[in-house]
Amino acid sequence: MTFAVINSRASFGIEAPPVTIEVHISCGLPKLLMVGLPEVAIKESKDRVRSAIMNSGFDFPSRRITINLAPADLPKKDGGRFDLAIALGILIATKQIVVSDISQYEFAGELALDGKLRPFRGALPFALATKKAQRALVLPVEDATDAALVTEVKILSAHHLLDVCAHLTGTKIIAPYSMIARTTEPKFEFDLADICGQEHAKRALEIAAAGGHALLMNGPPGVGKTMLAHRLNTILPEMTDGEALETAAIYSICGKKNNLDLWRQRPFRAPHHTASSVALVGGSSPPHPGEISLAHNGVLFLDELLEFNRNALEALREPLESKYITISRAAHQAIFPANFQLVVAMNPCPCGYWGDNRANCNCTADQVRRYQNRISGPFLDRIDLWVPVYSLSKNILLQFANKNVTSKEVRARVVKARQIALARAGKINAAFTNKEIEAFCFISAVDVAFLEDVVEKLKLSARSYHRIIKIARTIADLAGDETIQNQHLKEAIGFRRTI
């Protein structure tokens, strides 16, 4: 009897739990048994492995083969990622290749029938877990770039099963994969200078970028709400290495390859208003990330807000506060990060021109009320900045033509304000807890009385009270002031008017 143990990993959410592949060759009628909760795609790997071994010049044993994927209580649901490990287990168990220490490696990759290695989903989370285990990672060449984003882990990339066997036996060593570092100036298709006028909305955009605040733009069609939203990404600072790895890991488990020239730019997701709750927050079985997780550390833009399904919008309320989403199913539970910055745009009425002096609105007051009631008060209360965007006359547009500030200039101010916030509290202002507001957002007694009076008159919630203070803190940071002044509070209150 012969036996082999190979290290690999499963995929569960953004985690890569370890899986030990045990191969036992024994006497008996030729049969291959696979146990350990494998799904159908993994059960089919026995046919891929058999062809790959034979087409690579090895013998497939005509004996009883038992393959156990341990632990047995962990569902294995990610296609052919275990093919390479299973094939190596069979070759080592039958002594067709002799390896001195197989435990120092972890293996992943799907096998073609001719023995070539094919990519799999989730190479980046796999590499992160391999680094913690202090092992070397062997995988297909196509996945090496994603895995190499994780520093201080030995990546061995191969084209074929024979390449892996040659390395393990010492016949031909695979050189560790090294990625060339790329430091390029961020390039964007859009620029804030493209928009003439709308200085109030641009100011709100700058405050939102500096503090990470949620933003709502309300106005008639064609005034530039969507243009403004698409330019928020151009004034946001690049992600840190840690943030970039978190976001890249989510894209990796979705089978999306990371662009090395853009991987530190913050994601911008703009789902269509027909998107379901599952599409927005994630779901399915096994659980997959939704748009809020794909927008992690970036921007989630919901255009035509009131056309979205109300249940889908209500599902965003918890992750807006907690910054993660927990998806529970009968057999398992997955947690995905969802630290996104929400930006929404909406029309004030069904025809879109209610309150616009340049067009006639044909909607009745009852129609306007029913239309705006499609969105709940608790959802609106979680949005920091409420910005009316008005249509502009031709004279104003010509006045601002070729005189607009660029995204690069605004981004410099945003980066400086964020550096001040991070140096003060280690986080952006929008993420402050109530205790941190008390610690880092000092307001004089006179201004506290002023703010409480405004909150009472406008009938704002306690959440709105704290959001006004956080917005004022961001405005003060942009101005370079150490303390919050009365003018900062007044400007912040101006962004809390009702829709």
Side-chain angles (χ1 to χ4, degrees):
M1 294 188 297
T2 52
F3 184 75
V5 178
I6 310 294
N7 296 314
S8 187
R9 292 186 179 273
S11 176
F12 192 77
I14 60 170
E15 303 295 327
V19 171
T20 302
I21 297 174
E22 302 169 339
V23 180
H24 180 214
I25 311 292
S26 60
C27 298
L29 294 175
K31 189 174 184 180
L32 193 153
L33 299 175
M34 190 173 293
V35 296
L37 287 183
E39 68 166 2
V40 175
I42 296 176
K43 288 180 179 179
E44 291 174 349
S45 67
K46 60 185 179 182
D47 298 313
R48 294 192 298 270
V49 169
R50 178 187 289 107
S51 296
I53 288 176
M54 296 175 66
N55 288 325
S56 297
F58 297 104
D59 293 326
F60 192 83
S62 297
R63 286 186 285 172
R64 184 182 180 88
I65 305 172
T66 304
I67 299 172
N68 179 36
L69 308 179
D73 60 346
L74 177 69
K76 289 79 179 180
K77 295 179 175 289
D78 194 18
R81 66 164 49 206
F82 300 116
D83 287 3
L84 175 60
I86 291 172
L88 291 173
I90 292 174
L91 294 176
I92 293 173
T94 56
K95 295 182 171 56
Q96 296 186 65
I97 62 172
V98 179
V99 184
S100 58
D101 185 11
I102 195 67
S103 63
Q104 62 179 305
Y105 299 99
E106 293 189 0
F107 300 90
E110 181 180 334
L111 285 174
L113 298 185
D114 60 356
K116 291 181 180 178
L117 294 181
R118 289 176 174 165
F120 64 98
R121 291 187 177 189
L124 185 50
F126 200 120
L128 285 167
T130 302
K131 177 182 176 180
K132 293 180 181 178
Q134 298 182 345
R135 297 192 182 106
L137 174 57
V138 182
L139 42 54
V141 171
E142 290 88 342
D143 291 318
T145 302
D146 271 7
L149 294 175
V150 182
T151 58
E152 300 177 2
V153 60
K154 188 177 180 180
I155 304 294
L156 304 176
S157 60
H159 290 279
H160 199 280
L161 174 62
L162 289 174
D163 298 335
V164 180
C165 294
H167 175 82
L168 295 176
T169 58
T171 306
K172 185 178 180 181
I173 300 300
I174 300 174
Y177 181 87
S178 60
M179 184 179 64
I180 300 174
R182 305 186 187 184
T183 54
T184 58
E185 184 73 16
K187 296 179 181 179
F188 298 97
E189 181 182 357
F190 308 113
D191 195 282
L192 207 58
D194 301 335
I195 302 175
C196 295
Q198 303 296 2
E199 298 306 309
H200 181 61
K202 289 180 182 178
R203 172 64 174 170
L205 213 63
E206 182 177 345
I207 295 170
H213 304 289
L215 171 67
L216 179 149
M217 291 179 285
N218 178 36
V223 296
K225 301 187 297 295
T226 303
M227 290 181 66
L228 285 161
H230 279 277
R231 282 150 182 80
L232 175 59
N233 225 28
T234 68
I235 63 175
L236 288 171
E238 285 191 331
M239 291 187 285
T240 63
D241 288 342
E243 290 174 334
L245 276 176
E246 289 177 355
T247 303
I250 297 171
Y251 280 78
S252 180
I253 64 175
C254 294
K256 303 177 187 292
K257 298 300 179 183
N258 291 286
N259 187 331
L260 294 184
D261 293 325
L262 304 174
W263 83 288
R264 289 189 58 172
Q265 290 185 16
R266 297 184 182 274
F268 184 93
R269 305 292 298 185
H272 192 260
H273 65 260
T274 56
S276 64
S277 299
V278 171
L280 285 180
V281 303
S284 184
S285 183
H288 288 282
E291 290 290 338
I292 63 173
S293 295
L294 293 172
H296 181 57
N297 291 320
V299 178
L300 177 68
F301 174 50
L302 304 182
D303 201 2
E304 302 296 344
L305 177 69
L306 299 183
E307 301 301 328
F308 277 82
N309 180 278
R310 179 162 180 159
N311 291 334
L313 293 178
E314 295 304 302
L316 300 181
R317 283 161 53 177
E318 290 85 355
L320 269 171
E321 297 286 335
S322 64
K323 305 304 180 183
Y324 65 88
I325 181 70
T326 302
I327 301 173
S328 299
R329 294 294 178 263
H332 42 260
Q333 184 183 77
I335 299 176
F336 295 106
N339 185 14
F340 60 95
Q341 184 172 357
L342 180 66
V343 179
V344 299
M346 57 174 280
N347 296 325
C349 67
C351 77
Y353 294 102
W354 182 69
D356 185 12
N357 296 327
R358 297 177 55 81
N360 293 323
C361 174
N362 298 319
C363 303
T364 65
D366 187 53
Q367 287 176 317
V368 174
R369 189 188 73 255
R370 286 203 308 270
Y371 187 71
Q372 294 186 355
N373 283 344
R374 292 183 182 181
I375 182 171
S376 70
F379 180 87
L380 281 176
D381 202 40
R382 285 169 167 81
I383 298 178
D384 303 320
L385 302 163
W386 300 354
V387 184
V389 185
Y390 305 105
S391 57
L392 302 177
S393 66
K394 182 179 179 181
N395 291 336
I396 294 178
L397 293 175
L398 293 175
Q399 177 184 347
F400 284 98
N402 302 320
K403 297 181 181 179
N404 299 304
V405 66
T406 64
S407 291
K408 186 175 182 180
E409 295 173 285
V410 177
R411 185 167 63 249
R413 297 198 293 264
V414 167
V415 169
K416 185 177 180 180
R418 284 210 176 194
Q419 288 173 345
I420 293 172
L422 292 173
R424 178 176 54 239
K427 59 175 66 175
I428 58 177
N429 296 330
F432 279 178
T433 63
N434 291 348
K435 288 186 178 179
E436 289 167 336
I437 291 174
E438 294 178 4
F440 302 116
C441 301
F442 173 77
I443 304 175
S444 67
V446 174
D447 287 335
V448 168
F450 164 74
L451 180 56
E452 289 177 348
D453 184 54
V454 170
V455 169
E456 181 68 25
K457 289 181 179 178
L458 297 180
K459 294 181 173 56
L460 299 178
S461 66
R463 180 188 285 120
S464 295
Y465 173 84
H466 289 122
R467 290 183 185 275
I468 289 173
I469 296 176
K470 289 190 281 188
I471 295 168
R473 177 67 270 174
T474 300
I475 294 171
D477 289 342
L478 285 168
D481 295 330
E482 292 185 6
T483 59
I484 298 174
Q485 306 296 328
N486 184 261
Q487 65 267 24
H488 304 146
L489 283 172
K490 288 180 178 178
E491 185 176 4
I493 291 168
F495 289 115
R496 293 298 297 182
R497 68 181 73 180
T498 61
I499 61 173

